[in-house]
Every structure is written in structure tokens, then in C-alpha cells.
Amino acid sequence: INEGWTIDGKEIKVPFPPQSLLSGYKDEVKDEFCYKVNFKYLNEVGQRVLLHFGAVDQIASVYLNDTYLGKHEGGYLPFYFDVTDVLKEENSLKVEVKDELDLDYPYGKQTKKRGGMWYTPVSGIWQTVWLESVYDKYIENIKISPSKDSVTVEIIGGADKNRLLLDGAEYE
């Protein structure tokens, strides 16, 4: 979902931060702003749909079809929401962003006034946004914990959060 976005009503190319020339955004970037995009989606029966964000800097509150999905804080890590129950054929996605270069979050060498060793800030959606269809049962995460004599593998299931522990056995 990288086309058709606006920030506060003005066009922007995602996944480029509003401070970059490639974004095409020509307005002042404030500490708080709101992305919006409309998109169509046809879901297959029996599939879950995950809405992925590669990264949003720094605090993102996400809404789909006026339903609050959740909040992510950080700026450098991917995150996602299961949107199956709120997804329609015609959709409206809104991402409220707050980025104040707060010392509580890492921000590298960014500053509001670039110069010297300081760089222009990177705010908002700066990595790809996409939808992924998965089966009702899918692998969400795999955790591998090695020790000197064995390895424990934990497989975490998606929608129902089932867990399967494999411990101390040999597998091919």
C-alpha cells in the first residue's frame, strides 16, 4: 500500500519520509501529522490478513475503517496488525504519527536544524506498508535457544497463538 497517501491532505510518496525529496512532500513537517490512504482489497475465505509496516518513526497510532488497531513506538522495527475482522472491500487507513526527537527513543544524529555532523530528521512512514494473506493457522515466530548440550525450538502460531516446544531431540 505505497500509493495514494496524503499527510494532512497533501500528497506524499510512501515509503519515503516527508523530509526526503523522493517523498514529493513540499510542506513543513511538524512534530505530529496524519497519513491517510484509501485502498481496495478482496480477501479469500479462510484467510487472515495482516497489515505490515516496515517502520514508522517514532510513535504510530493506526486506524483502519475508523477502528483503532493499536500503537507502535520506536521507529526502526517492523510491526503488524491482524486486520481480518475490520477489513472491507473499500478501506480507509489512517496513521497518526508523533516524532519530537524525544530522548526516550533512539534517533541517531538527527536534529531539527541540520548542519555540521547532524542530519535532517526522518519522520513518519519510511519503510514499505503491505497486506499479507495467511492461513488461519500460520507460523508467527520461531525462537531457537541453543545450549551446550541441546537446542530448544519454540514455534509460535499466528491467529490462535498456539505454541509447540521441541526440546532436546534430534531433527533433520
Side-chain angles (χ1 to χ4, degrees):
I1 308 173
N2 286 341
E3 295 182 16
W5 288 89
T6 62
I7 289 182
D8 299 330
K10 296 184 174 115
E11 290 183 17
I12 182 167
K13 290 180 186 173
V14 167
F16 303 106
Q19 295 92 341
S20 81
L21 291 175
L22 291 173
S23 75
Y25 188 73
K26 295 181 176 24
D27 205 1
E28 175 188 359
V29 181
K30 300 175 184 145
D31 291 345
E32 295 183 34
F33 48 94
C34 182
Y35 285 88
K36 290 184 181 178
V37 68
N38 295 315
F39 65 94
K40 294 181 181 185
Y41 189 79
L42 294 174
N43 188 25
E44 295 181 31
V45 176
Q47 300 266 308
R48 307 293 304 169
V49 181
L50 308 178
L51 172 63
H52 291 270
F53 291 85
V56 180
D57 196 8
Q58 189 161 39
I59 301 170
S61 297
V62 182
Y63 301 81
L64 180 61
N65 299 324
D66 297 321
T67 299
Y68 178 69
L69 299 177
K71 179 175 167 181
H72 184 266
E73 298 185 31
Y76 299 100
L77 296 176
F79 61 97
Y80 72 91
F81 301 100
D82 185 330
V83 296
T84 308
D85 298 332
V86 293
L87 195 63
K88 302 175 184 177
E89 189 173 331
E90 302 273 340
N91 299 279
S92 175
L93 178 59
K94 178 171 76 169
V95 181
E96 295 174 345
V97 174
K98 183 176 182 181
D99 184 1
E100 299 176 327
L101 292 180
D102 188 329
L103 292 174
D104 289 339
Y105 303 97
Y107 61 85
K109 291 168 55 176
Q110 299 178 54
T111 185
K112 292 184 182 189
K113 292 186 178 189
R114 76 179 250 192
M117 67 176 210
W118 297 98
Y119 303 125
T120 301
V122 171
S123 300
I125 300 171
W126 65 278
Q127 295 287 323
T128 299
V129 179
W130 76 96
L131 292 169
E132 176 186 20
S133 291
V134 296
Y135 291 104
D136 280 339
K137 295 185 187 271
Y138 62 94
I139 295 175
E140 179 180 7
N141 200 354
I142 297 176
K143 181 179 177 185
I144 301 171
S145 303
S147 69
K148 183 178 178 184
D149 301 323
S150 68
V151 64
T152 300
V153 178
E154 183 177 6
I155 300 171
I156 303 166
D160 53 11
K161 303 291 185 204
N162 288 332
R163 293 173 184 264
L164 171 64
L165 278 175
L166 309 173
D167 188 18
E170 292 183 21
Y171 299 95
E172 293 184 25

